[in-house]
Amino acid sequence: MTGEYIFKALAHLKYDAIGLGERDFLPGVNYLQNLKKNFNLPFLAANVFQPDGNELIFPGYMIKELNGFQHGDTFIPKVRVGIFSVMLYRAQLTYGNNDPKLVMTDPIDAAKNILAQIKDRCDIIIGLVHLPYSQLTNFIQEVQGIDVVITGHDPIMRIDIQKIENTLVIAGGNRGQYIGDLRLVLNQQHKIIDYEGTVATLDEKIKDDPEILKIIKEHKEQEANISYELNRDRYRTMEMYVGAKKCKECHNDQYLHWQKSRHARAFETLIKKAKQDDVQCAQCHTTGFAQYNGFYNYLETPEMADVQCEACHGIGKLHVQSVERIKSQKLKAAILAPISEETCVGCHDKSQD
């Protein structure tokens, strides 16, 4: 569902080319082909083939001709731009029972094959390269002749345009939070003689597009409606979470310390940013999201808003029962989830904190 809205937004933005990554195929190749058809999307994937290994699922490249124009006293001649896309190799790309078993080839071999076909037909060659950032240097060294690489896959972002060998590299991360802006200066022979650019943050300084806001609103409403019903029929009446106020009865000092923390006001952050119905955000700003009697929405379960004790320590019902039945410190400790680095980075990952 989320993927459909993302591609709907991409269609509105009218991208000239869209390089696919291996995770885009998880919903199935038929799903992607329907999206391409419904939204007229320019998907590229040079190393993904039909099961016979001969026919590409989507085109591997395109050549876009930019018309010449007058700039002051200088006429800028037309430029032929070749764009290709490759992605990280996976032995298995689709997992649905009804999906064909697609064949993937090595991205370096696929890129070399594309460049052999288009290098004499293009003035500038751009690679949409969906590989880990650590593999880019080797890729560029192996595939000679790429002028610009726009990379994805990793969360790594570089504000400045990078240069590897003779190739300019834009790394804008993988969460749609940044956008690369690269301006090339060409001579009469269409060779790059200068450039300037950066990776810009898409923050509040960037004016929102009304149509994109409409698409986001539709997505959030649909996703919120689904989340409200998630596990509801089966688990909603099972009272497993006890809430921070119950914890206070035995752990008053810890409760008072928690009250002063930002965790105790985590949901306020969403309200201030009008994201209280954003499912992706609510998972880390509430307790027991869509589980048992945990948080479902602020109107129905306000008592489970914020990051309370059980968000980190685990469901409290069994812990409370053990305290009431058996006064054993050893048993009490055993039924609480241990706190480790993994507990924190579940929400506080590199992109969020």
Side-chain angles (χ1 to χ4, degrees):
M1 183 185 70
T2 300
E4 182 174 348
Y5 280 96
I6 289 174
F7 286 120
K8 184 177 181 180
L10 291 177
H12 171 70
L13 293 172
K14 301 186 185 303
Y15 275 84
D16 290 312
I18 298 175
L20 295 173
E22 73 282 352
R23 294 179 182 175
D24 293 321
F25 283 83
L26 290 177
V29 65
N30 294 329
Y31 175 78
L32 278 178
Q33 289 174 328
N34 286 334
L35 285 177
K36 175 180 173 62
K37 179 180 178 181
N38 293 339
F39 298 118
N40 192 27
L41 296 168
F43 289 160
L44 298 180
N47 60 327
V48 183
F49 293 80
Q50 298 282 5
D52 61 10
N54 296 317
E55 182 182 354
L56 285 168
I57 297 295
F58 299 108
Y61 71 91
M62 66 168 63
I63 297 178
K64 184 175 180 62
E65 190 170 283
L66 306 180
N67 294 328
F69 61 95
Q70 192 72 32
H71 181 67
D73 297 330
T74 305
F75 179 75
I76 309 299
K78 65 181 180 181
V79 180
R80 298 167 301 173
V81 181
I83 307 171
F84 75 91
S85 177
V86 293
M87 70 182 73
L88 182 68
Y89 173 81
R90 284 285 186 267
Q92 185 173 354
L93 197 58
T94 56
Y95 294 86
N97 293 330
N98 297 322
D99 285 320
K101 303 304 178 184
L102 305 180
V103 174
M104 289 197 72
T105 59
D106 181 78
I108 291 177
D109 292 340
K112 286 181 177 179
N113 179 51
I114 292 295
L115 261 71
Q117 298 179 52
I118 69 174
K119 64 181 180 180
D120 295 330
R121 300 157 54 194
C122 301
D123 302 306
I124 298 293
I125 295 179
I126 298 174
L128 309 179
V129 182
H130 196 83
L131 290 175
Y133 192 82
S134 60
Q135 297 181 18
L136 276 184
T137 297
N138 179 65
F139 177 87
I140 290 171
Q141 290 173 341
E142 290 288 334
V143 186
Q144 296 291 316
I146 309 174
D147 295 293
V148 177
V149 161
I150 302 174
T151 181
H153 186 80
D154 276 354
I156 293 175
M157 183 274 288
R158 297 285 186 267
I159 293 178
D160 298 323
I161 304 301
Q162 309 296 297
K163 192 169 186 180
I164 302 175
E165 302 285 328
N166 293 317
T167 301
L168 303 176
V169 177
I170 302 175
N174 66 349
R175 297 179 63 88
Q177 297 169 318
Y178 310 96
I179 187 168
D181 181 1
L182 175 62
R183 317 292 175 93
L184 303 177
V185 180
L186 309 181
N187 60 19
Q188 291 295 324
Q189 290 73 42
H190 299 118
K191 300 299 181 183
I192 300 174
I193 58 174
D194 198 5
Y195 68 91
E196 63 177 0
T198 187
V199 172
T201 303
L202 296 176
D203 54 19
E204 62 276 1
K205 297 177 183 178
I206 307 297
K207 186 178 179 180
D208 291 326
D209 179 87
E211 184 62 28
I212 296 296
L213 288 179
K214 181 181 177 182
I215 292 172
I216 292 173
K217 183 174 183 293
E218 290 175 357
H219 171 252
K220 288 182 177 180
E221 288 177 352
Q222 184 175 359
E223 195 170 39
N225 289 335
I226 293 175
S227 72
Y228 294 162
E229 303 304 324
L230 186 64
N231 290 340
R232 184 184 299 273
D233 293 340
R234 180 178 298 181
Y235 299 123
R236 190 69 185 91
T237 57
M238 297 176 64
E239 296 184 358
M240 300 296 291
Y241 288 92
V242 298
K245 290 184 179 179
K246 183 68 176 178
C247 301
K248 178 186 177 183
E249 294 178 8
C250 295
H251 305 284
N252 184 61
D253 290 345
Q254 289 84 351
Y255 177 85
L256 294 177
H257 177 76
W258 167 78
Q259 270 197 321
K260 298 176 183 178
S261 72
R262 294 176 66 181
H263 277 164
R265 302 183 300 278
F267 202 78
E268 290 181 14
T269 305
L270 301 188
I271 294 176
K272 290 177 181 178
K273 295 185 177 182
K275 290 190 174 184
Q276 61 267 32
D277 293 327
D278 189 317
V279 175
Q280 300 298 321
C281 296
Q283 293 180 42
C284 284
H285 286 251
T286 64
T287 301
F289 177 79
Q291 298 179 40
Y292 303 108
N293 60 319
F295 183 88
Y296 279 81
N297 64 75
Y298 194 64
L299 292 177
E300 184 179 356
T301 52
E303 73 280 1
M304 299 309 292
D306 301 319
V307 180
Q308 302 180 29
C309 315
E310 292 164 289
C312 300
H313 291 284
I315 292 172
K317 180 179 180 179
L318 297 179
H319 176 66
V320 172
Q321 288 180 342
S322 73
V323 173
E324 294 173 348
R325 296 175 183 175
I326 305 173
K327 303 297 183 179
S328 169
Q329 184 65 33
K330 183 177 180 181
L331 180 59
K332 286 162 60 180
I335 62 173
L336 286 174
I339 302 300
S340 66
E341 181 180 347
E342 286 71 23
T343 307
C344 303
V345 298
C347 288
H348 296 278
D349 58 22
K350 290 182 179 180
S351 63
Q352 299 293 343
D353 193 339

